[in-house]
Amino acid sequence: MDDLLTHRPAPAPPTAEPAIWSRNFRSYFTARSAGLLSWAMLPVAVSAGLLSGGYGLDTAGYAMAFLVGPFAGLVLFGGVLADRFTARRMMIAADLANLAAHVLLALLFLHGIDHLWQLYALLAVAGTANAMFQPGASSTVPLVARDVQGANGVLRTSEALTGLGGPALAGVLVGLGDTAWVMVISAVAYGTSAVCLFTLRLGPVPAPPAGGTLWHNLAVGWREFRSRSWLWSVIAIWMVFAVLSWGPQLSVAAGVIVPEHGATAFGLLNCALGAGTVAGGLLAIRYKPARPLAAGAVAMLAFPLYPLGIVLDWPVWLLAAAQVAVGTGTGVWGVMWATSVQTQVPGEVLNRVHAYEVAGSVGMYPLGSALAGPAAHAFGTDRVLLLGAAVALLTALALLATRPVRTLPRAHP
């Protein structure tokens, strides 16, 4: 008997989890997709709900300002708090705050809005919650998947699909007079996200040394951000791109396409952009170049096609093809960029560095969008679109011309 025990075969080692679809990543993917769907539905539901309820465009504009403003202004603090309390705790707290805000929004739209300040306050809570969530959304990816780039490709695909489906679902429900139900669905989605995040088993999480003040941690994050020339170079270039090209494009394009081809055609063109983004995300799951930012910059060369096509009066089908190409290019760039940040920046400062990245790049988009109308009135839509196309081309060329960006290697685990 002892011999049998002595010579019993050793148990087989446990099978390694998949590079992407591990148990942790499945939970995180579900959480992130639920949150993205809710975030995509909210602006459409609020704007359409207000307009159908007899409120004016100015009220809808103020509502969006109360939603986006806190996000842009507080995302830096979200990075610091995520480092201090761990990203998972901050994301769960943000989801619970969003759940509560959306339940109250549902009640508000169900019974009627007596005081607009109530709506604005709840939207500010939602914007603040998303500012607290966003830094951890990036830093968690390397903790739940061994193939970080592949995981980012999957998440980018989900983002594009929810970006297409969320507004459509919200628009249908508001059209049926059920704005409150959009908020109920969103509340359920945020609750699902919180539960999925709670089930994550991440093990030891990189964290900064204890004892630093809020401002000290912000300063450390800025120092880490500034010390990486490839990082701040991309953000500096992207800020110009966001103000002069990316930001104005949607509203200026709508001002040309809707009168000439109708709102349905404009909606289909945006669907084509989403389809291209899905394609770019799927492509980036497999395509792993040695120089990811250089490859992403080459993909961004497609961006000028759409504004140039509008100026040249291309037919809708050709504009749709251009949008697919643009979406594919931006999808590839987005995955390459996110993966580079997540794998090149140490985990203990990643939340804060990502917060600076978001504040610098996405924060410029509202400015470009706000300038679109005055610029179109002053210079004409064709000139604004041509400027956007030229700046988009120069953006891709500037990324390729910047040596730290062009030569940044892919990080290997």
Side-chain angles (χ1 to χ4, degrees), residues 96-110:
L96 294 177
N98 255 322
L99 188 156
H102 281 75
V103 168
L104 294 174
L105 282 168
L107 294 174
L108 198 62
F109 277 102
L110 184 64

Side-chain angles (χ1 to χ4, degrees), residues 16 34 39 52 63 74 80 93 109 113 123 126 159 175 198 200 249 268 287 319 327-328 338 357 376 393 404:
W39 186 247
S52 63
L74 297 174
V80 172
F109 277 102
I113 303 173
L123 291 175
E159 182 179 355
F198 183 78
L200 292 180
Q249 181 169 286
L268 290 174
Y287 174 53
L319 288 175
T328 302
E357 170 223 330
L393 176 62

Side-chain angles (χ1 to χ4, degrees), residues 253-346:
V256 176
I257 292 170
V258 173
E260 291 187 6
H261 303 289
T264 301
F266 183 66
L268 290 174
L269 289 174
N270 284 284
C271 287
L273 177 67
T277 306
V278 170
L282 294 174
L283 174 63
I285 294 174
R286 294 289 184 183
Y287 174 53
K288 297 180 179 178
R291 300 289 184 267
L293 294 185
V298 171
M300 280 294 295
L301 288 169
F303 197 93
L305 290 175
Y306 181 58
L308 188 62
I310 296 174
V311 173
L312 296 177
D313 199 23
W314 287 357
V316 172
W317 69 267
L318 192 53
L319 288 175
Q323 281 285 65
V324 171
V326 171
T328 302
T330 55
V332 170
W333 165 261
V335 173
M336 299 301 170
W337 171 247
T339 303
S340 297
V341 174
Q342 292 161 5
T343 56
Q344 300 280 351
V345 178

Side-chain angles (χ1 to χ4, degrees), residues 88-406:
R88 186 171 75 111
R89 290 172 183 167
M90 286 302 302
M91 289 191 293
I92 292 173
D95 278 337
L96 294 177
N98 255 322
L99 188 156
H102 281 75
V103 168
L104 294 174
L105 282 168
L107 294 174
L108 198 62
F109 277 102
L110 184 64
H111 294 291
I113 303 173
D114 295 326
H115 304 285
L116 282 172
W117 69 262
Q118 297 171 335
L119 173 67
Y120 296 155
L122 290 173
L123 291 175
V125 170
T128 301
N130 279 279
M132 298 300 106
F133 187 102
Q134 182 58 42
S138 177
S139 65
T140 302
V141 177
L143 303 177
V144 298
R146 289 187 291 113
D147 182 357
V148 177
Q149 181 176 318
N152 278 313
V154 172
L155 293 169
R156 184 74 174 183
T157 302
S158 174
E159 182 179 355
L161 291 173
T162 53
L164 286 172
L169 176 60
V172 169
L173 290 174
V174 173
L176 296 173
D178 290 328
T179 306
W181 278 107
V182 178
M183 304 306 165
V184 171
I185 293 171
S186 290
V188 172
Y190 282 118
T192 301
S193 176
V195 170
C196 290
L197 292 172
F198 183 78
T199 64
L200 292 180
R201 296 295 178 263
L202 302 180
V205 177
T213 65
L214 177 68
W215 300 110
H216 171 75
N217 288 333
L218 273 176
V220 171
W222 171 251
R223 188 164 62 245
E224 293 287 342
F225 173 83
R226 191 181 59 184
S227 67
R228 291 166 172 82
S229 56
W230 62 270
L231 184 59
W232 62 258
S233 296
V234 170
I235 298 304
I237 294 169
W238 206 262
M239 289 170 71
V240 177
F241 170 69
V243 173
L244 298 180
S245 182
W246 180 34
Q249 181 169 286
L250 181 65
S251 54
V252 176
V256 176
I257 292 170
V258 173
E260 291 187 6
H261 303 289
T264 301
F266 183 66
L268 290 174
L269 289 174
N270 284 284
C271 287
L273 177 67
T277 306
V278 170
L282 294 174
L283 174 63
I285 294 174
R286 294 289 184 183
Y287 174 53
K288 297 180 179 178
R291 300 289 184 267
L293 294 185
V298 171
M300 280 294 295
L301 288 169
F303 197 93
L305 290 175
Y306 181 58
L308 188 62
I310 296 174
V311 173
L312 296 177
D313 199 23
W314 287 357
V316 172
W317 69 267
L318 192 53
L319 288 175
Q323 281 285 65
V324 171
V326 171
T328 302
T330 55
V332 170
W333 165 261
V335 173
M336 299 301 170
W337 171 247
T339 303
S340 297
V341 174
Q342 292 161 5
T343 56
Q344 300 280 351
V345 178
E348 60 269 19
V349 294
L350 180 54
N351 290 312
R352 283 168 286 173
V353 169
H354 176 62
Y356 277 106
E357 170 223 330
V358 171
S361 56
V362 180
M364 290 292 104
Y365 178 87
L367 176 59
S369 182
L371 292 175
H377 286 301
F379 306 108
T381 55
D382 281 359
R383 289 184 178 178
V384 174
L385 289 168
L386 284 174
L387 175 64
V391 169
L393 176 62
L394 291 173
T395 295
L397 295 178
L399 292 170
L400 290 170
T402 305
R403 182 177 176 81
V405 176
R406 184 181 69 250

Side-chain angles (χ1 to χ4, degrees), residues 51-62:
L51 293 173
S52 63
Y55 293 93
L57 284 172
D58 55 343
T59 302
Y62 292 144

